[in-house]
Amino acid sequence: MKRLHLKRLHLIATVALVLGVAALAYASGDAGGAEAHHELNWKDFLFRVVNFVLVFGVIAKLAGKKMVGFFRGRGQAIENQLADLDSRKLDAAKRLAEIEASISDLAAEKARIEDEYRRQGEALRDAIVAAAEAKAVQIKEQAATAAAAEARVAMQELRSELADSVVAAAKASLEKKLTAKDQDKLVDEYLTKVVFN
C-alpha cells in the first residue's frame, strides 16, 4: 500500500514539474519576438498539457510495466554491484591484512633463518678449530716421535762410531805396547774363556 502511494506521489510530482517547466518555457517565448508572445495563451497551454498527459498516459500504459521492470532491474543490478563491491572490498581488506601479516612473518622468518645460519656457521667454525687443534696435537706427537727415533738412531750411530774409534785407538795402543808373545797369550786366554763359557 505504501509503495503504491509512493508511486502515485512520484507520478504527480513528475507531472507537476513537467507542467511547470513547460509553462515557464511557453511564457518566456521568443526573446526577439513581439510583445504579444509574452502573454499567456491559456487555451494553447491547456491543449499542450492535455496532450502531454495523454502521451505520458499512453506510454505509461503500454510500456509502464516494462519501464518499471527495467528501472527496478537496473536498481537491483546496481544494488547487487554495490553489494559485490562491498564484499570485494572486504575480501581485499582481508587479503591485505593477510599479506601484511605474511610480510611481518617474513621479517621474523628472515631473522630466524639468519640466526640459524649464524649458529651453523659458528658450530662449523668451532668444529674446524677443534679439528685443527687436534691435527696440531697429532702433528706435534708425530714430530716428537720422529725426533725421538732420529735421536735414537743418531745416538746409535754415535755409539757405533765411538766404539769403532775406541777399538781403533785401543788396537793402535795395544799394537804399540804388545809384542807377538803377548798377543798369542791374549788369544789363548780369550779362546779358553769362550770355550769354557
mmCIF file of all heavy atoms in Angstrom, residues 51-74:
data_model
loop_
_atom_site.group_PDB
_atom_site.id
_atom_site.type_symbol
_atom_site.label_atom_id
_atom_site.label_comp_id
_atom_site.label_asym_id
_atom_site.label_seq_id
_atom_site.Cartn_x
_atom_site.Cartn_y
_atom_site.Cartn_z
ATOM 1 N N ASN A 51 -2.259 17.216 -23.983
ATOM 2 C CA ASN A 51 -1.507 16.408 -24.930
ATOM 3 C C ASN A 51 -0.384 15.655 -24.205
ATOM 4 O O ASN A 51 -0.173 14.461 -24.418
ATOM 5 C CB ASN A 51 -0.951 17.310 -26.038
ATOM 6 C CG ASN A 51 -0.341 16.503 -27.165
ATOM 7 O OD1 ASN A 51 -0.658 15.343 -27.335
ATOM 8 N ND2 ASN A 51 0.521 17.148 -27.928
ATOM 9 N N PHE A 52 0.342 16.374 -23.358
ATOM 10 C CA PHE A 52 1.426 15.748 -22.611
ATOM 11 C C PHE A 52 0.902 14.635 -21.705
ATOM 12 O O PHE A 52 1.473 13.536 -21.657
ATOM 13 C CB PHE A 52 2.175 16.803 -21.783
ATOM 14 C CG PHE A 52 3.201 16.191 -20.866
ATOM 15 C CD1 PHE A 52 4.413 15.735 -21.366
ATOM 16 C CD2 PHE A 52 2.933 16.035 -19.513
ATOM 17 C CE1 PHE A 52 5.335 15.161 -20.520
ATOM 18 C CE2 PHE A 52 3.850 15.449 -18.675
ATOM 19 C CZ PHE A 52 5.067 15.007 -19.166
ATOM 20 N N VAL A 53 -0.177 14.893 -20.983
ATOM 21 C CA VAL A 53 -0.742 13.894 -20.069
ATOM 22 C C VAL A 53 -1.206 12.679 -20.841
ATOM 23 O O VAL A 53 -0.993 11.534 -20.423
ATOM 24 C CB VAL A 53 -1.889 14.505 -19.239
ATOM 25 C CG1 VAL A 53 -2.660 13.454 -18.475
ATOM 26 C CG2 VAL A 53 -1.350 15.569 -18.302
ATOM 27 N N LEU A 54 -1.837 12.882 -22.003
ATOM 28 C CA LEU A 54 -2.289 11.741 -22.804
ATOM 29 C C LEU A 54 -1.106 10.916 -23.308
ATOM 30 O O LEU A 54 -1.112 9.688 -23.224
ATOM 31 C CB LEU A 54 -3.139 12.225 -23.988
ATOM 32 C CG LEU A 54 -4.545 12.710 -23.639
ATOM 33 C CD1 LEU A 54 -5.235 13.256 -24.889
ATOM 34 C CD2 LEU A 54 -5.353 11.582 -23.049
ATOM 35 N N VAL A 55 -0.089 11.602 -23.849
ATOM 36 C CA VAL A 55 1.084 10.871 -24.345
ATOM 37 C C VAL A 55 1.750 10.133 -23.191
ATOM 38 O O VAL A 55 2.124 8.959 -23.314
ATOM 39 C CB VAL A 55 2.067 11.841 -25.049
ATOM 40 C CG1 VAL A 55 3.405 11.167 -25.320
ATOM 41 C CG2 VAL A 55 1.464 12.340 -26.341
ATOM 42 N N PHE A 56 1.887 10.831 -22.060
ATOM 43 C CA PHE A 56 2.509 10.195 -20.898
ATOM 44 C C PHE A 56 1.677 9.012 -20.422
ATOM 45 O O PHE A 56 2.213 7.959 -20.073
ATOM 46 C CB PHE A 56 2.666 11.235 -19.768
ATOM 47 C CG PHE A 56 3.398 10.690 -18.581
ATOM 48 C CD1 PHE A 56 4.774 10.543 -18.597
ATOM 49 C CD2 PHE A 56 2.700 10.300 -17.445
ATOM 50 C CE1 PHE A 56 5.429 10.028 -17.508
ATOM 51 C CE2 PHE A 56 3.354 9.786 -16.360
ATOM 52 C CZ PHE A 56 4.739 9.649 -16.378
ATOM 53 N N GLY A 57 0.347 9.147 -20.429
ATOM 54 C CA GLY A 57 -0.542 8.052 -20.014
ATOM 55 C C GLY A 57 -0.429 6.856 -20.936
ATOM 56 O O GLY A 57 -0.403 5.708 -20.493
ATOM 57 N N VAL A 58 -0.411 7.118 -22.260
ATOM 58 C CA VAL A 58 -0.294 6.015 -23.224
ATOM 59 C C VAL A 58 1.045 5.300 -23.051
ATOM 60 O O VAL A 58 1.112 4.064 -23.026
ATOM 61 C CB VAL A 58 -0.459 6.541 -24.672
ATOM 62 C CG1 VAL A 58 -0.078 5.484 -25.698
ATOM 63 C CG2 VAL A 58 -1.902 6.983 -24.901
ATOM 64 N N ILE A 59 2.120 6.070 -22.923
ATOM 65 C CA ILE A 59 3.444 5.457 -22.721
ATOM 66 C C ILE A 59 3.462 4.661 -21.422
ATOM 67 O O ILE A 59 3.974 3.535 -21.375
ATOM 68 C CB ILE A 59 4.554 6.533 -22.735
ATOM 69 C CG1 ILE A 59 4.704 7.100 -24.144
ATOM 70 C CG2 ILE A 59 5.879 5.955 -22.250
ATOM 71 C CD1 ILE A 59 5.653 8.272 -24.242
ATOM 72 N N ALA A 60 2.872 5.229 -20.365
ATOM 73 C CA ALA A 60 2.847 4.537 -19.069
ATOM 74 C C ALA A 60 2.011 3.272 -19.172
ATOM 75 O O ALA A 60 2.369 2.246 -18.570
ATOM 76 C CB ALA A 60 2.294 5.463 -17.994
ATOM 77 N N LYS A 61 0.896 3.305 -19.901
ATOM 78 C CA LYS A 61 0.023 2.129 -20.013
ATOM 79 C C LYS A 61 0.693 1.040 -20.846
ATOM 80 O O LYS A 61 0.659 -0.126 -20.481
ATOM 81 C CB LYS A 61 -1.316 2.555 -20.658
ATOM 82 C CG LYS A 61 -2.330 1.486 -20.751
ATOM 83 C CD LYS A 61 -2.845 1.150 -19.354
ATOM 84 C CE LYS A 61 -3.995 0.167 -19.457
ATOM 85 N NZ LYS A 61 -4.409 -0.284 -18.173
ATOM 86 N N LEU A 62 1.278 1.420 -21.982
ATOM 87 C CA LEU A 62 1.854 0.422 -22.866
ATOM 88 C C LEU A 62 3.222 -0.088 -22.382
ATOM 89 O O LEU A 62 3.510 -1.279 -22.467
ATOM 90 C CB LEU A 62 1.990 0.993 -24.283
ATOM 91 C CG LEU A 62 0.684 1.308 -24.993
ATOM 92 C CD1 LEU A 62 0.954 1.917 -26.364
ATOM 93 C CD2 LEU A 62 -0.165 0.051 -25.141
ATOM 94 N N ALA A 63 4.053 0.827 -21.925
ATOM 95 C CA ALA A 63 5.415 0.413 -21.556
ATOM 96 C C ALA A 63 5.678 0.592 -20.076
ATOM 97 O O ALA A 63 6.825 0.474 -19.631
ATOM 98 C CB ALA A 63 6.420 1.212 -22.354
ATOM 99 N N GLY A 64 4.663 0.851 -19.311
ATOM 100 C CA GLY A 64 4.845 1.128 -17.885
ATOM 101 C C GLY A 64 5.483 -0.022 -17.129
ATOM 102 O O GLY A 64 6.447 0.161 -16.374
ATOM 103 N N LYS A 65 4.922 -1.218 -17.346
ATOM 104 C CA LYS A 65 5.454 -2.369 -16.624
ATOM 105 C C LYS A 65 6.897 -2.663 -17.048
ATOM 106 O O LYS A 65 7.740 -2.994 -16.220
ATOM 107 C CB LYS A 65 4.572 -3.588 -16.844
ATOM 108 C CG LYS A 65 3.236 -3.494 -16.160
ATOM 109 C CD LYS A 65 2.419 -4.753 -16.360
ATOM 110 C CE LYS A 65 1.067 -4.603 -15.659
ATOM 111 N NZ LYS A 65 0.225 -5.776 -15.856
ATOM 112 N N LYS A 66 7.130 -2.535 -18.355
ATOM 113 C CA LYS A 66 8.490 -2.793 -18.833
ATOM 114 C C LYS A 66 9.452 -1.749 -18.291
ATOM 115 O O LYS A 66 10.583 -2.062 -17.907
ATOM 116 C CB LYS A 66 8.526 -2.800 -20.354
ATOM 117 C CG LYS A 66 7.882 -4.019 -20.956
ATOM 118 C CD LYS A 66 8.009 -4.006 -22.461
ATOM 119 C CE LYS A 66 7.332 -5.247 -23.044
ATOM 120 N NZ LYS A 66 7.420 -5.280 -24.499
ATOM 121 N N MET A 67 9.008 -0.489 -18.284
ATOM 122 C CA MET A 67 9.867 0.577 -17.753
ATOM 123 C C MET A 67 10.122 0.378 -16.266
ATOM 124 O O MET A 67 11.269 0.508 -15.799
ATOM 125 C CB MET A 67 9.248 1.964 -18.017
ATOM 126 C CG MET A 67 9.278 2.358 -19.480
ATOM 127 S SD MET A 67 8.405 3.892 -19.839
ATOM 128 C CE MET A 67 9.231 5.056 -18.807
ATOM 129 N N VAL A 68 9.060 0.058 -15.547
ATOM 130 C CA VAL A 68 9.218 -0.183 -14.103
ATOM 131 C C VAL A 68 10.136 -1.390 -13.889
ATOM 132 O O VAL A 68 11.039 -1.364 -13.046
ATOM 133 C CB VAL A 68 7.846 -0.386 -13.428
ATOM 134 C CG1 VAL A 68 7.998 -0.902 -12.014
ATOM 135 C CG2 VAL A 68 7.074 0.919 -13.433
ATOM 136 N N GLY A 69 9.900 -2.438 -14.681
ATOM 137 C CA GLY A 69 10.764 -3.622 -14.573
ATOM 138 C C GLY A 69 12.210 -3.296 -14.920
ATOM 139 O O GLY A 69 13.145 -3.754 -14.250
ATOM 140 N N PHE A 70 12.374 -2.481 -15.975
ATOM 141 C CA PHE A 70 13.730 -2.110 -16.367
ATOM 142 C C PHE A 70 14.425 -1.336 -15.253
ATOM 143 O O PHE A 70 15.551 -1.645 -14.875
ATOM 144 C CB PHE A 70 13.686 -1.269 -17.652
ATOM 145 C CG PHE A 70 15.004 -0.650 -18.000
ATOM 146 C CD1 PHE A 70 16.010 -1.428 -18.577
ATOM 147 C CD2 PHE A 70 15.255 0.686 -17.735
ATOM 148 C CE1 PHE A 70 17.230 -0.858 -18.901
ATOM 149 C CE2 PHE A 70 16.476 1.254 -18.043
ATOM 150 C CZ PHE A 70 17.467 0.491 -18.626
ATOM 151 N N PHE A 71 13.706 -0.307 -14.755
ATOM 152 C CA PHE A 71 14.331 0.510 -13.704
ATOM 153 C C PHE A 71 14.497 -0.269 -12.399
ATOM 154 O O PHE A 71 15.484 -0.089 -11.688
ATOM 155 C CB PHE A 71 13.533 1.810 -13.476
ATOM 156 C CG PHE A 71 13.691 2.793 -14.604
ATOM 157 C CD1 PHE A 71 12.615 3.177 -15.375
ATOM 158 C CD2 PHE A 71 14.940 3.317 -14.906
ATOM 159 C CE1 PHE A 71 12.765 4.071 -16.410
ATOM 160 C CE2 PHE A 71 15.098 4.208 -15.945
ATOM 161 C CZ PHE A 71 14.012 4.594 -16.701
ATOM 162 N N ARG A 72 13.537 -1.147 -12.103
ATOM 163 C CA ARG A 72 13.660 -1.979 -10.907
ATOM 164 C C ARG A 72 14.836 -2.945 -11.082
ATOM 165 O O ARG A 72 15.651 -3.129 -10.166
ATOM 166 C CB ARG A 72 12.378 -2.753 -10.635
ATOM 167 C CG ARG A 72 12.443 -3.520 -9.338
ATOM 168 C CD ARG A 72 11.131 -4.187 -8.989
ATOM 169 N NE ARG A 72 10.139 -3.180 -8.652
ATOM 170 C CZ ARG A 72 8.879 -3.173 -9.059
ATOM 171 N NH1 ARG A 72 8.439 -4.144 -9.847
ATOM 172 N NH2 ARG A 72 8.061 -2.227 -8.703
ATOM 173 N N GLY A 73 14.926 -3.562 -12.284
ATOM 174 C CA GLY A 73 16.052 -4.461 -12.560
ATOM 175 C C GLY A 73 17.372 -3.719 -12.530
ATOM 176 O O GLY A 73 18.372 -4.210 -11.995
ATOM 177 N N ARG A 74 17.363 -2.520 -13.105
ATOM 178 C CA ARG A 74 18.586 -1.712 -13.092
ATOM 179 C C ARG A 74 18.959 -1.343 -11.668
ATOM 180 O O ARG A 74 20.126 -1.401 -11.292
ATOM 181 C CB ARG A 74 18.370 -0.460 -13.944
ATOM 182 C CG ARG A 74 19.567 0.398 -14.074
ATOM 183 C CD ARG A 74 20.644 -0.269 -14.918
ATOM 184 N NE ARG A 74 21.799 0.589 -14.959
ATOM 185 C CZ ARG A 74 23.037 0.170 -14.832
ATOM 186 N NH1 ARG A 74 23.274 -1.115 -14.687
ATOM 187 N NH2 ARG A 74 24.040 1.005 -14.861
#
